[in-house]
Amino acid sequence: MVNSVKRSCPVKTTCPYCGVGCGVLATVTDNGSVDIKGDPDHPSNYGRLCSKGSALGETIDLTGRMLEPQIHGRSATWDSALDLVAEKFKDTIAKHGPDSVAFYISGQLLTEDYYVANKLMKGFIGSGNIDTNSRLCMASSVAGQHRAFGSDTVPGTYEDMELADLIVLVGSNLAWCHPVLYQRIEAAKAKRPEMKVVLIDPRRTMTSDIADLHLPLKADGDVALFQGLLSYLAENNALNNQYINSHTNGFKEALGAAGKLTAADISSITGLSNSELRDFYDLVAKTEKTVTVYSQGVNQSSIGTDKVGAIINCHLATGRIGQPGMGPFSVTGQPNAMGGREVGGLANMLACHMDIENVKHRNLVQEFWQSPTMAVKPGLKAVDMFNAVANGDIKAIWIMGTNPVDSLPHADYVKSALIKCPFVVVSDIMETTDTTDLAQVKLPSLGWGEKDGMVTNSERRISRQRAFLPAPGAARADWWQLAEVGRRMGYEQGMTYEDNSAIIREYAELSGFENKGSRDFDISALATISAESYAQLAPFQWPQKNGDAIAEIRFFADGNFYTPDKKAVFQAQSERPKESRSFDLPFTLNTGRIRDQWHTMTRTGKSPRLGQHLAEPFVEIHPQDAKDLGIEPATLVEVYNNFGSIIVRALITDRIQQKSVFVSMHWTDQFASSARVDTLVDAITDPYSGQPAFKASACSLRPFKANLFGFLVSQKKPKNLESEYWALARCEAGWRVELGLKETPPNLSEFAAELLGTNQFIDYLDAGTGERRFATFDNGALSAVLHLSPTPVLLSRNWIVSELGRPVANKMQRYRLIAGRPANDVPDIGAIICSCHSIGRNQIVSAMMEKGCNTVKDIGICTKAGSNCGSCKSEINQILSSRLMEAAE
Ligand code: SF4
């Protein structure tokens, strides 16, 4: 339940998760809950939402929220907290200089927050030490575009993905990570079946569902793959010489570098056969309308910038850029990663796409801001920033809206750096995260639904996030916190804003200041916008210059790049991937997202629906590797390397290549005993972008020998989870927990009483299996069930979860609950596939077998699965395909 509110009209706002930037209609209903729908008028999603967006209403309650400032864990007033932050930062700067302080901010911030943070650090404190967690998801795209185009410009629009005849998805699991773009491509392909999709990914992800061709590339084989493509295009008369000659430099050098690779080299580096390579190259060569979509698989690499360059080279060489249905397309991970880039939130950039290393730009920004100083060099990028915290060079850091103790590579090192840091401030919406735990000062921020401002999505579309809930407790906007600290540091003149529209007017004016077409980013049309008009602002794409009619613009069809001679620059790449490991171990650890969780689960972890899809941390292992290592399905596995180890569930699948494993990035110490995968990720970064290589760390695996397994569902959040392995997830009526213990406790009844929080329980021993089961009831309803077993607990989990809190009618039902067996007329629905309607795998299979459903549409009609947000359609299709194949065998 949210604060007491009246029923409202739908408020047009924007989803706070991925970089697709879907428009949302949020309606506060009579009972205080919030009804969420896709905004049919928003040009990025036209009414669609994915499972995460659809469940937004379940994530905005005040449980666990930070509602007042705190100093050393004690409640404080805003005045005392802000005074302390300003004083500590001032003192540190006075004693050690401006580079002894830093801000580490987030792609979750609104543009207003970003703008004020960047202005305070670069123009008033005088250091470049402000960086953002967007460094972790797309900095290599920024660097790659900057090198090639002279600017950080995404040339195209989402519509290009629908107009293309060929979409090449590189390192991008769109079905799970950008689901609405996946849905748009899927719909376009359904209308035009001749449209082709190629998926280039070491894993056969759910996105392979729409792929005509899947190329299971070796990790970091991308540069060689696209160098081979460049050579093939040249050899097969597929170049656009007019475009190359008129609008680019460096083609000969790039082609020469690519030509050093033989076909055998390319096959060996990519792990792809000659025929796979030829099929792909031929398809690209003959398809004019080609869009190459890429994301974390490209960016999160020690050669990410070179990968981006290799992709862009092929588009420049064919002139397939900036025209309908053509172009390279970087999709960003976070809702306002693009806004952060525009506003100079990265340590090496200035506001409005200006460059910190360009003295003219520095002077221009300082003159506009009338600021006392200006950073003269790039600040420390994320990984280097926390190294500087660890070695004592940075002595005061302010972290906003992000959880670096979990999300940065070498995460335990980051944690120890923050423990040692003399002054740590964290602004967040949640009281307890793995990072807020380490702060001397905690500042309560506004959450989605309470804050108000602007975000930019992956297609340069600026949309409004609008408040539809009151600010809870003492929570305040991040820009307000920054401006208040700035004023208390003595920067009254530059840090006074009557509201957020004043920030946007200033930002828009700066974007047009002495621009005259010299810079891509120009939103000067908003320079005089009133607060009322800002409140009503409809989504639009930049650039939007003062005086120009509203138009959606693609860049670079006729050249006009932002380099000194207005020509793009081909990149002559080194031919082989550089070594990206600081030690060698037999497996390559790939990390990434899953469908129904977001980042470190501080918000999506609240949703019972989202918690049911994949309820515990897991490692994907190839069947042969599992066999070789003696790892059985559903047992526990230790993934380890020189930095530490984690314990996760084995998910054995041939979707992953041999000697490669995948672990999701989401689980923190708040949701699992030992599953922070970034503790194992090596802090190796791309030399140009500073982006860490999250997808190719060395690791080993071994079975985790548990002697006791447990499964608990409980209405109360369980305490005292004292076992080597536990994983916690929300369910509709409470919590579900998986357990794994090395040693069986001597007294299981006492152990159960600790977990259940009572010794009033029913206790049952299954002599056949050795399982002990415990159940508690409250007013005749099931309040908790605990199963303990010497082998992994096998029972219908979703059925038990659904019984929690329900009245128990008779003895037989009690018996069934404790036995973990539903009655014959209550089918086991199996693992949840459709989160929106809680439809399990077994229900989908029985719709196939018993009702003859052979298409996703039929399954939707029959079971409702996939009929709401559609995020599970690829999984339904996979189930259909595998069952149909089995039937055909
Ligand atoms: Fe939100 Fe999903 Fe849209 Fe991304 S695709 S913006 S997570 S609704």
Side-chain angles (χ1 to χ4, degrees), residues 53 69 126 205 230 232 248 320 394 449 520 537 553 594 627 652 676 693 757 766 768 784 827 860 862:
T205 63
L230 188 65
Y232 188 91
T248 70
R320 296 173 187 167
I394 287 176
D520 62 342
L537 187 69
I553 287 173
I594 60 170
K627 193 171 169 208
I652 298 171
R676 291 165 53 231
D766 183 328
C862 198

Coordinates of all heavy atoms in Angstrom, one line a residue, residues 53 69 126 205 230 232 248 320 394 449 520 537 553 594 627 652 676 693 757 766 768 784 827 860 862:
G53 N 8.0 -4.0 -16.7 CA 7.2 -2.8 -16.7 C 5.8 -3.1 -16.3 O 5.2 -2.3 -15.5
P69 N 16.8 11.4 6.5 CA 18.3 11.3 6.5 C 18.8 10.7 7.7 O 18.2 10.7 8.8 CB 18.7 12.8 6.4 CG 17.4 13.5 6.0 CD 16.3 12.7 6.5
G126 N 35.6 21.7 -9.4 CA 36.7 21.8 -10.3 C 37.5 20.5 -10.5 O 38.7 20.5 -10.9
T205 N 20.4 -17.8 -26.6 CA 19.5 -17.2 -25.7 C 18.0 -17.3 -26.2 O 17.8 -17.7 -27.3 CB 19.8 -15.7 -25.5 OG1 19.6 -15.0 -26.8 CG2 21.2 -15.5 -25.0
L230 N 34.1 -7.0 -43.5 CA 34.5 -5.9 -44.3 C 35.3 -6.4 -45.5 O 35.1 -5.9 -46.6 CB 35.5 -5.0 -43.4 CG 35.9 -3.6 -44.0 CD1 34.7 -2.7 -44.2 CD2 36.9 -2.9 -43.2
Y232 N 35.0 -9.2 -47.0 CA 34.0 -9.9 -47.8 C 33.2 -8.9 -48.7 O 33.0 -9.1 -49.9 CB 33.1 -10.8 -47.0 CG 32.1 -11.6 -47.8 CD1 32.5 -12.9 -48.1 CD2 30.9 -11.2 -48.3 CE1 31.7 -13.8 -48.9 CE2 30.1 -12.0 -49.0 CZ 30.4 -13.3 -49.3 OH 29.6 -14.1 -50.1
T248 N 34.1 9.8 -45.7 CA 34.9 9.1 -44.7 C 36.4 9.2 -45.0 O 36.9 9.6 -46.1 CB 34.6 7.6 -44.7 OG1 35.1 7.0 -45.9 CG2 33.1 7.3 -44.6
R320 N 25.4 2.3 -45.4 CA 24.1 2.0 -44.8 C 24.0 2.6 -43.4 O 24.2 2.0 -42.4 CB 24.0 0.5 -44.6 CG 24.0 -0.2 -46.0 CD 24.0 -1.7 -45.8 NE 24.2 -2.4 -47.0 CZ 24.5 -3.7 -47.1 NH1 24.7 -4.4 -46.0 NH2 24.6 -4.3 -48.3
I394 N 41.1 9.2 -3.1 CA 39.8 9.8 -2.9 C 39.4 9.5 -1.5 O 39.3 8.4 -1.0 CB 38.8 9.2 -3.9 CG1 39.1 9.7 -5.3 CG2 37.3 9.5 -3.5 CD1 38.2 9.2 -6.4
G449 N 7.7 7.2 -9.6 CA 6.3 7.4 -9.2 C 6.2 8.7 -8.3 O 5.2 9.3 -8.1
D520 N 26.1 17.9 -32.2 CA 24.9 17.2 -32.5 C 23.8 17.4 -31.5 O 22.6 17.6 -31.9 CB 25.2 15.6 -32.6 CG 25.7 15.0 -31.3 OD1 26.1 15.8 -30.4 OD2 25.6 13.8 -31.1
L537 N 5.0 18.3 -21.5 CA 5.9 18.0 -22.6 C 5.7 16.6 -23.1 O 5.8 15.6 -22.4 CB 7.4 18.2 -22.2 CG 8.5 18.1 -23.3 CD1 8.4 19.3 -24.2 CD2 9.9 18.0 -22.6
I553 N 14.8 13.0 -36.7 CA 15.9 13.1 -37.6 C 16.8 11.9 -37.5 O 17.0 11.4 -36.4 CB 16.7 14.4 -37.2 CG1 15.9 15.6 -37.7 CG2 18.1 14.4 -37.8 CD1 16.5 16.9 -37.2
I594 N 18.5 -11.4 -16.4 CA 17.4 -12.3 -16.7 C 16.2 -11.5 -17.0 O 16.1 -10.3 -16.8 CB 17.2 -13.3 -15.5 CG1 16.8 -12.6 -14.2 CG2 18.4 -14.2 -15.4 CD1 16.4 -13.6 -13.1
K627 N 28.7 -33.2 -16.6 CA 29.0 -34.6 -16.4 C 30.5 -34.8 -16.0 O 30.8 -35.5 -15.1 CB 28.8 -35.3 -17.8 CG 28.8 -36.8 -17.7 CD 28.3 -37.4 -19.1 CE 28.6 -38.9 -19.1 NZ 28.9 -39.4 -20.4
I652 N 21.5 -27.0 -16.0 CA 22.3 -27.7 -17.1 C 21.6 -27.6 -18.4 O 20.4 -28.0 -18.5 CB 22.5 -29.2 -16.7 CG1 23.3 -29.2 -15.4 CG2 23.2 -30.0 -17.8 CD1 23.5 -30.6 -14.7
R676 N 26.9 -13.0 -5.2 CA 27.3 -11.7 -5.8 C 28.4 -12.0 -6.9 O 29.6 -12.1 -6.6 CB 27.9 -10.7 -4.8 CG 26.8 -10.2 -3.8 CD 27.4 -9.5 -2.6 NE 28.3 -8.5 -2.9 CZ 29.6 -8.4 -2.4 NH1 30.0 -9.3 -1.6 NH2 30.4 -7.4 -2.8
A693 N 35.2 -5.6 -18.5 CA 34.9 -6.8 -19.2 C 34.1 -7.8 -18.4 O 34.7 -8.6 -17.7 CB 36.2 -7.5 -19.7
G757 N 10.4 -19.6 13.4 CA 10.1 -18.6 14.4 C 9.1 -19.1 15.5 O 8.6 -18.3 16.2
D766 N 9.4 -38.7 6.6 CA 9.1 -39.6 5.5 C 10.2 -40.7 5.5 O 11.4 -40.4 5.1 CB 9.1 -38.9 4.1 CG 8.8 -39.8 3.0 OD1 9.1 -41.0 3.1 OD2 8.2 -39.4 2.0
G768 N 10.8 -43.3 3.9 CA 11.3 -43.8 2.6 C 12.4 -42.9 2.1 O 13.4 -43.4 1.5
A784 N 3.3 -21.5 7.3 CA 4.7 -21.9 6.8 C 4.8 -23.4 6.6 O 4.2 -24.2 7.3 CB 5.7 -21.4 7.8
P827 N -3.6 -29.9 -10.5 CA -2.4 -30.2 -11.2 C -1.2 -29.4 -10.8 O -1.3 -28.3 -10.3 CB -2.8 -29.9 -12.7 CG -3.9 -29.0 -12.5 CD -4.6 -29.2 -11.2
G860 N -1.9 -18.9 -25.9 CA -2.4 -17.7 -25.3 C -3.9 -17.7 -25.1 O -4.5 -17.4 -24.1
C862 N -5.8 -20.4 -25.0 CA -6.2 -21.5 -24.2 C -5.8 -21.3 -22.7 O -6.6 -21.6 -21.8 CB -5.4 -22.7 -24.7 SG -6.1 -24.2 -24.1

